[in-house]
Amino acid sequence: MRLILLGPPGAGKGTQCKRVIDRYAMAHLSSGDILRSQRAAGTELGKKAQSYMDSGRLVPDDIIIDMMIETMKKAASGYVLDGFPRTVVQSEQLDKSLAQNGEKIDGMVNLQVNDEIISARLTGRRSCPKYGAVYHIENLKPEVDGICDKDGEKLIQRPDDNAEVVASRLLTYHEQTAAVVGYYQDKGNTVINIDAVQDVDDVTALIFAELDKLDGQVK
Ligand code: ADP
Ligand code: AMP
């Protein structure tokens, strides 16, 4: 399956993607994770992205589209896109690139969360800089405070998870990204809306129930 996991920042995309890839043996392609690793490696791409990410704005479409299409080419047939596409232009270019190989997006999971909940989730988020696992200081604590369960790395607070940048990222989501849902709905793609203001495991169960059905249709 080729899936898009969409939703505002802090909706739980990364958290749910890790579970989806385990169940369906897919690759997790997160545009945000790729950009952060480019920054950590000090590449030209990472340097270009820096100021946009730190202020909560979107990195320009041309940079992101090239980066993600390259990444998708290296992935096997099944993947979940996390954080991409984030504009209608990115969606159009993604579909065009897939169509050139006779491929298409099989479905989109759209996690729905209101802005008040998001602020609390993002300011309390702690992330593993290596594995990408995410925790929360109240909702999803690691076994040992401040340490990743998976690889023992010290957890960090992302610099863009402060209240000011979170407000900017939410605005960006409403102005530029929310329209991606309508774009795929209008094209007749499967769009699965999930109420993501509930326990992490309950959200996962709803996603699995829908993806089990979709998986049966795709094969
Ligand atoms: P995104 O990838 O959409 O930005 P994350 O998966 O990183 O979101 O989740 C953001 C924060 O919210 C993390 O700290 C995570 O532990 C927490 N979180 C994710 N899903 C839920 C949920 N259903 N209920 C409460 N907290 C959640
Ligand atoms: P995320 O990890 O998904 O929260 O993304 C972190 C930041 O990376 C965003 O605030 C943007 O600045 C940038 N970014 C990630 N994905 C995209 C994308 N598809 N288009 C533009 N910018 C992106």
Side-chain angles (χ1 to χ4, degrees):
M1 284 190 288
R2 295 181 193 85
L3 300 177
I4 296 172
L5 196 43
L6 197 86
K13 300 185 293 296
T15 304
Q16 298 298 335
C17 272
K18 296 277 180 233
R19 297 170 176 214
V20 167
I21 61 166
D22 282 348
R23 183 175 174 94
Y24 301 98
M26 304 161 89
H28 176 195
L29 308 182
S30 157
S31 48
D33 284 349
I34 297 169
L35 288 169
R36 279 183 288 279
S37 66
Q38 293 283 330
R39 285 183 63 171
T43 65
E44 276 310 305
L45 172 58
K47 284 178 193 151
K48 278 188 198 155
Q50 191 166 329
S51 63
Y52 297 98
M53 295 173 78
D54 289 348
S55 60
R57 289 172 299 145
L58 294 184
V59 174
D61 282 336
D62 52 342
I63 297 179
I64 290 289
I65 290 162
D66 288 350
M67 179 186 90
M68 290 308 288
I69 287 176
E70 270 314 298
T71 306
M72 284 160 51
K73 278 185 194 152
K74 289 180 213 145
S77 54
Y79 47 74
V80 194
L81 298 173
D82 168 7
F84 175 83
R86 244 171 163 111
T87 63
V88 170
V89 172
Q90 290 179 17
S91 312
E92 288 166 348
Q93 292 302 315
L94 165 65
D95 288 351
K96 199 171 144 194
S97 168
L98 288 172
Q100 281 166 356
N101 301 317
E103 297 167 355
K104 64 176 180 55
I105 291 298
D106 296 307
M108 167 189 281
V109 175
N110 179 35
L111 299 182
Q112 298 174 309
V113 181
N114 55 51
D115 289 6
E116 295 71 34
I117 302 256
I118 281 168
S119 298
R121 282 193 188 175
L122 286 181
T123 50
R125 172 161 66 182
R126 297 294 179 269
S127 312
C128 173
K130 199 165 162 197
Y131 173 77
V134 284
Y135 302 88
H136 190 276
I137 51 171
E138 283 162 9
N139 306 333
L140 261 178
K141 296 180 182 177
E143 279 163 25
V144 179
D145 198 28
I147 302 292
C148 179
D149 295 344
K150 310 271 179 195
D151 58 14
E153 285 284 315
K154 199 166 182 290
L155 300 178
I156 57 148
Q157 181 170 24
R158 276 173 43 178
D160 58 345
D161 277 348
N162 69 70
E164 195 187 334
V165 183
V166 166
S168 161
R169 289 160 66 199
L170 272 174
L171 197 65
T172 302
Y173 171 80
H174 290 298
E175 287 180 354
Q176 293 179 267
T177 305
V180 169
V181 181
Y183 167 85
Y184 280 104
Q185 255 158 358
D186 291 349
K187 280 191 74 176
N189 282 67
T190 301
V191 175
I192 300 163
N193 289 311
I194 300 279
D195 172 8
V197 187
Q198 40 188 327
D199 187 79
V200 178
D201 291 339
D202 294 337
V203 176
T204 306
L206 288 174
I207 295 175
F208 284 178
E210 293 298 328
L211 290 186
D212 283 352
K213 286 188 245 165
L214 187 64
D215 198 24
Q217 292 162 18
V218 168
K219 275 175 193 163

